[in-house]
Amino acid sequence: MAHNALLDVGAELGLVAMCLLGLYLLLAFFRLTATIQRGYGDEGFVRTLRISLTIAIVERAMFLSEQYFLPFWLIGGLAAAIWADGQRRRQPDRG
């Protein structure tokens, strides 16, 4: 068992899965950053999510592999939901 979440996924599922996990984490981080810049959602909450994701990436993806799924998927899902809601609210009503 690898002591790195990315290596653990790479060893169990292959290099493609490892790269997809890395891209997922980067996309979540950049979406949270863009969310702050565009003013989507509550700024304090979004900043907290971005800091939490950074801590999860550094702590869990680089040094620990146990229990890495929950923070990654939860924070990534919240980032996607806030991003999608901001995009939806930004578009004019077409009805």
Side-chain angles (χ1 to χ4, degrees):
M1 182 169 161
H3 293 290
N4 178 315
L6 293 172
L7 290 178
D8 189 31
V9 169
E12 290 182 14
L13 302 173
L15 291 176
V16 173
M18 181 179 78
C19 291
L20 288 174
L21 177 61
L23 287 173
Y24 167 78
L25 295 172
L26 286 174
L27 178 64
F29 183 81
F30 287 122
R31 284 263 169 105
L32 288 170
T33 301
T35 298
I36 292 169
Q37 293 171 349
R38 295 180 183 184
Y40 298 163
D42 179 35
E43 184 180 352
F45 181 65
V46 176
R47 286 186 185 277
T48 302
L49 283 176
R50 190 173 66 168
I51 291 168
S52 298
L53 181 62
T54 303
I55 290 169
I57 289 171
V58 170
E59 177 190 21
R60 299 184 191 282
M62 299 303 156
F63 299 112
L64 298 173
S65 62
E66 300 89 21
Q67 301 294 326
Y68 62 84
F69 287 110
L70 180 62
F72 290 167
W73 302 135
L74 178 64
I75 296 169
L78 289 170
I82 295 168
W83 172 266
D85 183 56
Q87 290 289 321
R88 183 183 53 80
R89 290 177 187 234
R90 188 175 192 191
Q91 294 176 353
D93 244 354
R94 296 183 183 181

